[in-house]
Amino acid sequence: MGKRDLIKYCSLFLAFPATVVAQNCEKPNVLLIYADDLGYGDLECYGASNVSTPNVNLLASNGLRFTNAHAVASTSTPSRYALLTGEYPWRREGTDVAAGDAAMIISPDRYTVADVFKEAGYKTAAFGKWHLGLGAESGKQDWNRPIEPALSDIGFDYSYIMAATADRVPCLFIENGSVANYDASAPIYVSYKKNFEGEPTGRDNPELLYNLKHSHGHDMSIVNGIGRIGFMKGGGSALWKDKNIADSITEHAVRFIERSKGEPFFIYFATNDIHVPRFPHERFRGVTGMGHRGDAIAQFDWCVGRLLETLSKEGLLENTLIIVTSDNGPVVDDGYADDAESLLNGHDPMGGLRGGKYSCFEAGTRVPFILHWPTIIKENRVVDALLSQIDFLDVMAAILDVEVKRNETDGTECEIDTWLGRNGKGRAFAVGMAANHTLSLIMRNAKYIEPKGGPHIVPWGPKIETGYSLEPQLYLRINGEYDETENVAPDAPELVGAMSSLLQYIKNNVGFYMNL
Ligand code: NG6
Ligand code: CA
């Protein structure tokens, strides 16, 4: 399909935003529960049988459970960047998996979903994993002072976050831009270049790894008996204990909900679970028989339950829009010797899909996605409409009746009907990005993976097929599932050509959307 045909074709299907729901009801609270590396098959309501997830199940059985929902990338930083800004990460340099001393990746003048909520008069807060950088210059933060810019500069009134991931230093919570529980007797130093003199590392001092040993990477500074990526010194009593991370972020969110009574709020609740190093609290140890990885899923579900219980106690559950989803697909061994592989016991984190985290194949970006909002959604349903997290900002703006300037985002408010279960077809296309930036164009009945070379298996340790190939790939959706077993591109050159042109067109046009 040529560019002109494409435009003509698309203009036949001009989409109009649906009626704004906010006019008919009080402003809803919005709680986004954003898991880390939680796979399509990791929850009981998505078919897992070795782990019970009663709280997530409850949301699914009273809400919408999507079976074709996609994160924007198969790794964290780009996926989160897209969710918060509505911009494809491949349009913006510096949005790849960030170090713990990266500068702010979302520039303060960028419009974010938190700004949307602020504009609608909401209180906004972020908890847990951040991984989108802090401060003005990479590697130049002084962790002993307030760090600027921080989340308050991109629309969050309150934040209690981990700078990056639990496997990257600094291993401290940052509250409103400053280290929480700062310990003046132990000044903090962080470097991603070299170690600090006299400080042990996982590589040189494996005897100090009393909580977890690494399987690949993660052999630099040791904090709480676990090797990390990057070097740090100091921190003292402010350093986190891995087993308390879930409790800590959850209790901070609970207090925020309790404080916010009477005012609408948006909470970005980004769990550390089930990213590595998985190190759940003792009360979850052994509950699944799958070791730390499975037990971290149970811990994740507990967090969901604790938030639900709080909303319910405050009388807010009815008019709170809750989304449970994940930033990218699953990985089993992602660098720590936590026996995740040997203890799977038949559990399939990928839920039958090919690939996983980092990959172009379906398990890379297809994620669980549950939407619960009793005021608007009156019956539970499984929805197989194609949905992309790229629309989060625009759909929220549509719900709140806030106008988003066109061409600023790649998402669209037109997808409100998909998100609220009123349109069973969903998006005409979703774009996914793998770790090496290979893009996939996922359409309702076919998926195209652009040609780009690279190793067939993730080269640094996880046993995951990347899906990278110098040849174009085409997979058809048969009986409701993309069949990625056979590349049918050689048999369908016209379809490959059309999808490749459409992908090129999307690359060249910010905000391009079509509704077929
Ligand atoms: C990789 C890490 C992995 C994980 C990932 C990012 C090593 C060997 N592996 O480089 O453990 O941290 O980056 O994951 O260091 S993400 O979910 O935050 O994107
Ligand atoms: Ca992730």
Side-chain angles (χ1 to χ4, degrees):
M1 200 184 310
K3 191 164 156 185
R4 202 153 352 107
D5 295 334
L6 193 62
I7 297 168
K8 206 164 92 194
Y9 183 56
C10 297
S11 60
L12 294 175
F13 300 98
L14 272 184
F16 297 97
T19 352
V20 171
V21 286
Q23 285 164 357
N24 304 330
C25 66
E26 267 180 50
K27 286 178 179 173
N29 304 301
V30 176
L31 168 59
L32 173 68
I33 303 176
Y34 200 26
D36 199 351
D37 297 1
L38 186 74
Y40 186 68
D42 272 328
L43 295 168
E44 204 176 7
C45 50
Y46 278 87
S49 54
N50 296 353
V51 52
S52 12
T53 53
N55 295 299
V56 183
N57 298 352
L58 190 73
L59 293 174
S61 59
N62 292 290
L64 306 173
R65 182 172 74 80
F66 287 82
T67 56
N68 199 9
H70 286 263
V72 183
S74 58
T75 54
S76 153
T77 304
S79 205
R80 287 158 198 261
Y81 175 83
L83 178 113
L84 290 171
T85 65
E87 181 182 51
Y88 287 126
W90 37 267
R91 294 204 192 283
R92 180 105 5 217
E93 269 193 37
T95 54
D96 278 322
V97 174
D101 65 349
M104 281 275 278
I105 290 171
I106 302 178
S107 115
D109 50 25
R110 175 95 213 163
Y111 194 55
T112 69
V113 71
D115 291 323
V116 170
F117 282 101
K118 288 303 304 163
E119 237 174 281
Y122 277 56
K123 278 179 74 177
T124 53
F127 300 91
K129 169 168 169 173
W130 183 235
H131 212 190
L132 286 161
L134 287 170
E137 216 182 318
S138 295
K140 293 278 182 327
Q141 301 89 345
D142 180 350
W143 300 92
N144 303 287
R145 295 178 200 291
I147 296 165
E148 284 175 12
L151 277 70
S152 56
D153 298 289
I154 56 164
F156 288 102
D157 294 319
Y158 176 76
S159 57
Y160 183 79
I161 54 160
M162 305 155 72
T165 56
D167 62 352
R168 286 168 172 74
V169 302
C171 302
L172 308 148
F173 291 108
I174 318 277
E175 188 170 23
N176 295 333
S178 298
V179 168
N181 302 320
Y182 181 71
D183 181 347
S185 71
I188 303 155
Y189 302 94
V190 171
S191 168
Y192 273 72
K193 295 204 175 92
K194 59 175 179 44
N195 194 16
F196 299 96
E197 222 184 301
E199 293 295 307
T201 62
R203 183 178 307 173
D204 296 336
N205 308 86
E207 73 286 357
L208 299 180
L209 300 172
Y210 56 85
N211 273 330
L212 267 182
K213 304 210 183 312
H214 47 270
S215 57
H216 51 265
H218 306 107
D219 58 359
M220 297 171 228
S221 283
I222 301 172
V223 177
N224 191 216
I226 299 176
R228 316 278 169 167
I229 307 173
F231 303 101
M232 83 174 285
K233 181 181 169 172
S237 56
L239 294 171
W240 69 50
K241 298 256 183 300
D242 295 75
K243 67 174 188 176
N244 295 331
I245 292 175
D247 279 333
S248 184
I249 61 172
T250 307
E251 290 319 308
H252 279 78
V254 163
R255 273 181 253 148
F256 178 82
I257 295 171
E258 289 170 349
R259 282 203 302 276
S260 302
K261 241 191 289 181
E263 279 183 85
F265 57 78
F266 164 56
I267 294 179
Y268 174 79
F269 185 79
T271 65
N272 167 52
D273 293 317
I274 60 167
H275 197 276
V276 295
R278 305 163 187 130
F279 201 69
H281 191 270
E282 281 95 355
R283 53 190 208 284
F284 303 102
R285 300 272 174 92
V287 298
T288 65
M290 292 195 286
H292 288 344
R293 188 179 186 282
D295 298 348
I297 301 174
Q299 178 168 272
F300 170 78
D301 185 72
W302 174 87
C303 298
V304 175
R306 177 84 180 105
L307 295 173
L308 292 186
E309 172 190 88
T310 309
L311 290 169
S312 176
K313 194 179 90 215
E314 300 294 331
L316 300 173
L317 193 55
E318 191 69 17
N319 198 27
T320 298
L321 188 171
I322 303 174
I323 292 171
V324 177
T325 189
S326 178
D327 68 337
N328 55 252
V331 51
V332 181
D333 177 352
D334 205 15
Y336 289 93
D338 57 6
D339 295 323
E341 192 92 47
S342 59
L343 295 173
L344 279 175
N345 205 6
H347 174 73
D348 176 12
M350 286 75 180
L353 307 177
R354 192 169 177 187
K357 180 175 178 176
Y358 310 110
S359 172
C360 309
F361 290 131
E362 278 294 283
T365 56
R366 180 105 64 90
V367 285
F369 192 101
I370 293 161
L371 192 145
H372 181 268
W373 185 8
T375 304
I376 297 293
I377 290 151
K378 298 290 182 198
E379 57 186 29
N380 78 305
R381 220 144 17 94
V382 177
V383 184
D384 82 340
L386 181 58
L387 179 149
S388 167
Q389 291 176 0
I390 195 73
D391 295 321
F392 182 59
L393 181 152
D394 290 85
V395 167
M396 290 302 122
I399 290 176
L400 306 179
D401 210 7
V402 168
E403 202 186 322
V404 179
K405 275 187 238 102
R406 286 287 7 122
N407 288 339
E408 265 214 348
T409 70
D410 288 299
T412 172
E413 72 279 11
C414 299
E415 283 300 305
I416 184 174
D417 279 348
T418 303
W419 288 55
L420 299 182
R422 297 165 178 163
N423 169 356
K425 289 189 303 179
R427 260 187 165 264
F429 67 84
V431 182
M433 184 183 88
N436 79 341
H437 286 209
T438 300
L439 301 187
S440 305
L441 182 69
I442 303 147
M443 298 190 75
R444 289 184 200 127
N445 297 316
K447 170 170 175 175
Y448 164 76
I449 303 177
E450 68 177 357
K452 191 176 168 95
H456 290 290
I457 301 285
V458 175
W460 58 85
K463 293 186 210 106
I464 292 175
E465 288 182 292
T466 59
Y468 307 155
S469 168
L470 287 168
E471 301 300 323
Q473 295 171 75
L474 180 71
Y475 299 104
L476 301 180
R477 190 167 185 230
I478 298 162
N479 297 330
E481 195 45 87
Y482 299 87
D483 177 5
E484 292 184 317
T485 54
E486 193 197 351
N487 177 13
V488 298
D491 306 326
E494 279 165 21
L495 185 53
V496 169
M499 290 183 79
S500 141
S501 319
L502 176 56
L503 182 58
Q504 193 53 48
Y505 192 79
I506 296 164
K507 287 187 193 179
N508 295 344
N509 292 275
V510 177
F512 174 72
Y513 172 72
M514 61 181 190
N515 187 10
L516 312 177

